[in-house]
Amino acid sequence: MDFLKRLIAENPRLLEMRFREREAVCEPATVPFAVRLDGVGFGKRLKDFPPPRSRLVHNALVEVAKSLALTQGADYVHVVSDEINLLFFRAAPYGGRTFKIISVLASQASAELTAKLGRPLYFDGRVIKLRDNCDAASYVLFRARVGLNNYVIQLARGAGLIREYTPPIEDMLKSVVIEDYELAWGTFMRREDGFKKGVDMCSALSRLCNVC
């Protein structure tokens, strides 16, 4: 698949270094920026759901992400594994007050997902400064690549393919079967589409920047 090849071409370690240094620790947050909400201890709290990732949990996360985007004014959403990424281009909620953005959005996501799945679930959050549309597309590729990497490792571990060391992802992909690519690299939604699910990520990201 074209998008699979595109993700494999990215080096997640280099992307981690690029975006880690831009996590906002000061006020105010100015557009464009991303808010990443990460599930806290989801592996233990959701261990009764099918591994490596549950379609039911993913769908619940997507609905929570859409609700957050609509109420807080995000323009793009990416959901993968236990994380929700909201990208803001037009305006920053709460006047750009970074700590309020983080605390309110993490609290809202926690409350809504808890209600949907019927158990206490929590998120932490961070704000990541983005430079422009192409930087935003690279950020989504980064999170999709990390999501794919973790998903393939879980599949390989479940198949007994990982012992003393973790093989390169290119080698693991030859020995595992990905039945649901959306669970592997995530769901991407745009305000201009009414946050409709099921869009092709490569095509959608290319509307931001020619990355595919």
Side-chain angles (χ1 to χ4, degrees):
M1 296 181 66
D2 290 342
F3 193 61
L4 179 60
K5 292 178 182 178
R6 180 64 185 82
L7 285 184
I8 296 300
E10 292 291 344
N11 185 325
R13 291 184 179 179
L14 293 179
L15 290 170
E16 175 75 25
M17 289 189 293
R18 180 195 303 177
F19 289 106
R20 172 77 69 175
E21 66 183 12
R22 282 192 260 147
E23 292 183 7
V25 293
C26 59
E27 309 272 5
T30 55
V31 293
F33 63 85
V35 176
R36 185 162 90 239
L37 305 173
D38 290 300
V40 177
F42 275 25
K44 292 182 179 179
R45 295 179 186 276
L46 300 174
K47 62 182 179 181
D48 53 322
F49 285 90
R53 288 177 190 156
S54 162
R55 168 53 69 175
L56 178 63
V57 173
H58 182 77
N59 288 345
L61 282 162
V62 168
E63 291 304 311
V64 170
K66 180 177 179 179
S67 174
L68 284 167
L70 289 170
T71 57
Q72 303 296 343
D75 296 286
Y76 300 93
V77 174
H78 178 242
V79 176
V80 65
S81 186
D82 63 349
E83 72 178 56
I84 294 171
N85 291 283
L86 303 160
L87 281 66
F88 294 83
F89 280 81
R90 297 175 304 156
Y94 307 108
R97 287 175 285 170
T98 303
F99 294 110
K100 183 153 189 175
I101 292 170
I102 292 170
S103 61
V104 173
L105 270 64
S107 297
Q108 183 180 343
S110 300
E112 293 194 15
L113 192 62
T114 292
K116 285 184 179 296
L117 296 180
R119 63 192 67 193
L121 295 164
Y122 314 105
F123 290 88
D124 65 22
R126 67 205 73 190
V127 170
I128 301 95
K129 178 62 182 168
L130 303 173
R131 296 193 178 106
D132 51 32
N133 284 13
C134 286
D135 201 35
S138 292
Y139 175 75
V140 175
L141 283 175
F142 165 41
R143 300 317 304 166
R145 179 66 171 81
V146 170
L148 173 67
N149 205 62
N150 293 339
Y151 188 76
V152 171
I153 288 173
Q154 291 180 70
L155 287 177
R157 185 174 289 122
L161 301 173
I162 296 178
R163 292 181 174 86
E164 295 181 1
Y165 74 100
T166 302
I169 189 171
E170 294 87 349
D171 294 340
M172 289 186 288
L173 281 168
K174 298 174 184 176
S175 304
V176 301
V177 177
I178 299 177
E179 296 181 352
D180 190 333
Y181 281 95
E182 191 175 33
L183 289 183
W185 58 54
T187 298
F188 186 69
M189 300 182 291
R190 305 178 296 187
R191 175 174 290 275
E192 62 190 279
D193 296 325
F195 297 110
K196 178 180 64 177
K197 294 183 288 186
V199 301
D200 177 75
M201 278 190 67
C202 208
S203 298
L205 288 176
S206 293
R207 296 276 293 274
L208 274 173
C209 183
N210 188 24
V211 294
C212 289

